[in-house]
PDB file of all heavy atoms in Angstrom:
ATOM      1  N   MET A   1       8.177   8.143  -3.240  1.00  0.00           N
ATOM      2  CA  MET A   1       7.179   9.127  -3.557  1.00  0.00           C
ATOM      3  C   MET A   1       6.481   8.723  -4.844  1.00  0.00           C
ATOM      4  O   MET A   1       7.029   7.961  -5.635  1.00  0.00           O
ATOM      5  CB  MET A   1       7.780  10.517  -3.623  1.00  0.00           C
ATOM      6  CG  MET A   1       8.759  10.793  -4.742  1.00  0.00           C
ATOM      7  SD  MET A   1       9.609  12.342  -4.475  1.00  0.00           S
ATOM      8  CE  MET A   1       8.999  13.300  -5.798  1.00  0.00           C
ATOM      9  N   ALA A   2       5.297   9.237  -5.056  1.00  0.00           N
ATOM     10  CA  ALA A   2       4.493   8.891  -6.220  1.00  0.00           C
ATOM     11  C   ALA A   2       4.809   9.824  -7.388  1.00  0.00           C
ATOM     12  O   ALA A   2       5.293  10.940  -7.196  1.00  0.00           O
ATOM     13  CB  ALA A   2       3.015   8.998  -5.877  1.00  0.00           C
ATOM     14  N   PRO A   3       4.515   9.393  -8.609  1.00  0.00           N
ATOM     15  CA  PRO A   3       4.751  10.259  -9.760  1.00  0.00           C
ATOM     16  C   PRO A   3       3.906  11.534  -9.728  1.00  0.00           C
ATOM     17  O   PRO A   3       4.236  12.513 -10.388  1.00  0.00           O
ATOM     18  CB  PRO A   3       4.369   9.404 -10.968  1.00  0.00           C
ATOM     19  CG  PRO A   3       4.112   8.048 -10.465  1.00  0.00           C
ATOM     20  CD  PRO A   3       4.058   8.083  -8.981  1.00  0.00           C
ATOM     21  N   THR A   4       2.844  11.535  -8.948  1.00  0.00           N
ATOM     22  CA  THR A   4       1.961  12.702  -8.857  1.00  0.00           C
ATOM     23  C   THR A   4       2.347  13.665  -7.741  1.00  0.00           C
ATOM     24  O   THR A   4       1.708  14.696  -7.566  1.00  0.00           O
ATOM     25  CB  THR A   4       0.510  12.244  -8.634  1.00  0.00           C
ATOM     26  OG1 THR A   4       0.467  11.422  -7.458  1.00  0.00           O
ATOM     27  CG2 THR A   4      -0.013  11.460  -9.832  1.00  0.00           C
ATOM     28  N   ALA A  23      13.331   7.878  -4.482  1.00  0.00           N
ATOM     29  CA  ALA A  23      12.786   7.000  -5.515  1.00  0.00           C
ATOM     30  C   ALA A  23      11.378   7.435  -5.871  1.00  0.00           C
ATOM     31  O   ALA A  23      10.605   7.845  -5.005  1.00  0.00           O
ATOM     32  CB  ALA A  23      12.769   5.562  -5.015  1.00  0.00           C
ATOM     33  N   VAL A  24      11.044   7.339  -7.146  1.00  0.00           N
ATOM     34  CA  VAL A  24       9.685   7.579  -7.617  1.00  0.00           C
ATOM     35  C   VAL A  24       9.113   6.208  -7.956  1.00  0.00           C
ATOM     36  O   VAL A  24       9.646   5.493  -8.798  1.00  0.00           O
ATOM     37  CB  VAL A  24       9.661   8.508  -8.846  1.00  0.00           C
ATOM     38  CG1 VAL A  24       8.230   8.719  -9.317  1.00  0.00           C
ATOM     39  CG2 VAL A  24      10.323   9.836  -8.531  1.00  0.00           C
ATOM     40  N   MET A  25       8.037   5.870  -7.257  1.00  0.00           N
ATOM     41  CA  MET A  25       7.449   4.541  -7.375  1.00  0.00           C
ATOM     42  C   MET A  25       6.030   4.640  -7.935  1.00  0.00           C
ATOM     43  O   MET A  25       5.326   5.604  -7.685  1.00  0.00           O
ATOM     44  CB  MET A  25       7.396   3.871  -5.998  1.00  0.00           C
ATOM     45  CG  MET A  25       8.726   3.839  -5.258  1.00  0.00           C
ATOM     46  SD  MET A  25       9.962   2.791  -6.000  1.00  0.00           S
ATOM     47  CE  MET A  25       9.317   1.182  -5.616  1.00  0.00           C
ATOM     48  N   ALA A  26       5.631   3.618  -8.687  1.00  0.00           N
ATOM     49  CA  ALA A  26       4.278   3.546  -9.220  1.00  0.00           C
ATOM     50  C   ALA A  26       3.732   2.158  -8.935  1.00  0.00           C
ATOM     51  O   ALA A  26       4.482   1.194  -8.778  1.00  0.00           O
ATOM     52  CB  ALA A  26       4.262   3.824 -10.713  1.00  0.00           C
ATOM     53  N   CYS A  27       2.425   2.081  -8.881  1.00  0.00           N
ATOM     54  CA  CYS A  27       1.765   0.801  -8.658  1.00  0.00           C
ATOM     55  C   CYS A  27       0.593   0.729  -9.632  1.00  0.00           C
ATOM     56  O   CYS A  27      -0.226   1.646  -9.702  1.00  0.00           O
ATOM     57  CB  CYS A  27       1.289   0.706  -7.221  1.00  0.00           C
ATOM     58  SG  CYS A  27       0.713  -0.921  -6.773  1.00  0.00           S
ATOM     59  N   ASP A  28       0.526  -0.346 -10.391  1.00  0.00           N
ATOM     60  CA  ASP A  28      -0.504  -0.471 -11.414  1.00  0.00           C
ATOM     61  C   ASP A  28      -1.864  -0.855 -10.846  1.00  0.00           C
ATOM     62  O   ASP A  28      -2.884  -0.581 -11.450  1.00  0.00           O
ATOM     63  CB  ASP A  28      -0.079  -1.491 -12.472  1.00  0.00           C
ATOM     64  CG  ASP A  28       1.152  -1.019 -13.235  1.00  0.00           C
ATOM     65  OD1 ASP A  28       1.264   0.193 -13.466  1.00  0.00           O
ATOM     66  OD2 ASP A  28       1.982  -1.875 -13.593  1.00  0.00           O
ATOM     67  N   PRO A  34       4.741  -2.247  -5.857  1.00  0.00           N
ATOM     68  CA  PRO A  34       5.249  -0.985  -6.407  1.00  0.00           C
ATOM     69  C   PRO A  34       6.483  -1.253  -7.266  1.00  0.00           C
ATOM     70  O   PRO A  34       7.219  -2.209  -7.045  1.00  0.00           O
ATOM     71  CB  PRO A  34       5.616  -0.163  -5.179  1.00  0.00           C
ATOM     72  CG  PRO A  34       5.429  -1.028  -4.008  1.00  0.00           C
ATOM     73  CD  PRO A  34       4.852  -2.324  -4.423  1.00  0.00           C
ATOM     74  N   ARG A  35       6.661  -0.403  -8.272  1.00  0.00           N
ATOM     75  CA  ARG A  35       7.833  -0.548  -9.133  1.00  0.00           C
ATOM     76  C   ARG A  35       8.516   0.803  -9.265  1.00  0.00           C
ATOM     77  O   ARG A  35       7.878   1.850  -9.270  1.00  0.00           O
ATOM     78  CB  ARG A  35       7.450  -1.109 -10.498  1.00  0.00           C
ATOM     79  CG  ARG A  35       6.457  -0.289 -11.268  1.00  0.00           C
ATOM     80  CD  ARG A  35       5.986  -0.996 -12.549  1.00  0.00           C
ATOM     81  NE  ARG A  35       4.845  -0.300 -13.093  1.00  0.00           N
ATOM     82  CZ  ARG A  35       4.901   0.794 -13.828  1.00  0.00           C
ATOM     83  NH1 ARG A  35       6.066   1.310 -14.141  1.00  0.00           N
ATOM     84  NH2 ARG A  35       3.805   1.364 -14.270  1.00  0.00           N
ATOM     85  N   LEU A  36       9.822   0.742  -9.350  1.00  0.00           N
ATOM     86  CA  LEU A  36      10.627   1.949  -9.496  1.00  0.00           C
ATOM     87  C   LEU A  36      10.483   2.480 -10.916  1.00  0.00           C
ATOM     88  O   LEU A  36      10.682   1.748 -11.883  1.00  0.00           O
ATOM     89  CB  LEU A  36      12.096   1.633  -9.212  1.00  0.00           C
ATOM     90  CG  LEU A  36      13.088   2.778  -9.377  1.00  0.00           C
ATOM     91  CD1 LEU A  36      12.850   3.839  -8.314  1.00  0.00           C
ATOM     92  CD2 LEU A  36      14.513   2.256  -9.296  1.00  0.00           C
ATOM     93  N   ILE A  37      10.120   3.764 -11.030  1.00  0.00           N
ATOM     94  CA  ILE A  37      10.013   4.364 -12.365  1.00  0.00           C
ATOM     95  C   ILE A  37      11.001   5.510 -12.559  1.00  0.00           C
ATOM     96  O   ILE A  37      11.117   6.048 -13.651  1.00  0.00           O
ATOM     97  CB  ILE A  37       8.581   4.830 -12.684  1.00  0.00           C
ATOM     98  CG1 ILE A  37       8.102   5.877 -11.692  1.00  0.00           C
ATOM     99  CG2 ILE A  37       7.638   3.651 -12.734  1.00  0.00           C
ATOM    100  CD1 ILE A  37       6.809   6.540 -12.113  1.00  0.00           C
ATOM    101  N   GLY A  38      11.697   5.882 -11.483  1.00  0.00           N
ATOM    102  CA  GLY A  38      12.675   6.947 -11.618  1.00  0.00           C
ATOM    103  C   GLY A  38      13.146   7.445 -10.270  1.00  0.00           C
ATOM    104  O   GLY A  38      12.885   6.824  -9.235  1.00  0.00           O
ATOM    105  N   SER A  39      13.811   8.569 -10.303  1.00  0.00           N
ATOM    106  CA  SER A  39      14.289   9.191  -9.071  1.00  0.00           C
ATOM    107  C   SER A  39      14.296  10.699  -9.257  1.00  0.00           C
ATOM    108  O   SER A  39      14.282  11.201 -10.380  1.00  0.00           O
ATOM    109  CB  SER A  39      15.690   8.695  -8.720  1.00  0.00           C
ATOM    110  OG  SER A  39      16.606   9.088  -9.716  1.00  0.00           O
TER     111      SER A  39
END
Side-chain angles (χ1 to χ4, degrees):
M1 67 192 247
T4 56
V24 179
M25 307 292 288
C27 190
D28 295 324
R35 59 187 168 81
L36 178 67
I37 60 170
S39 64

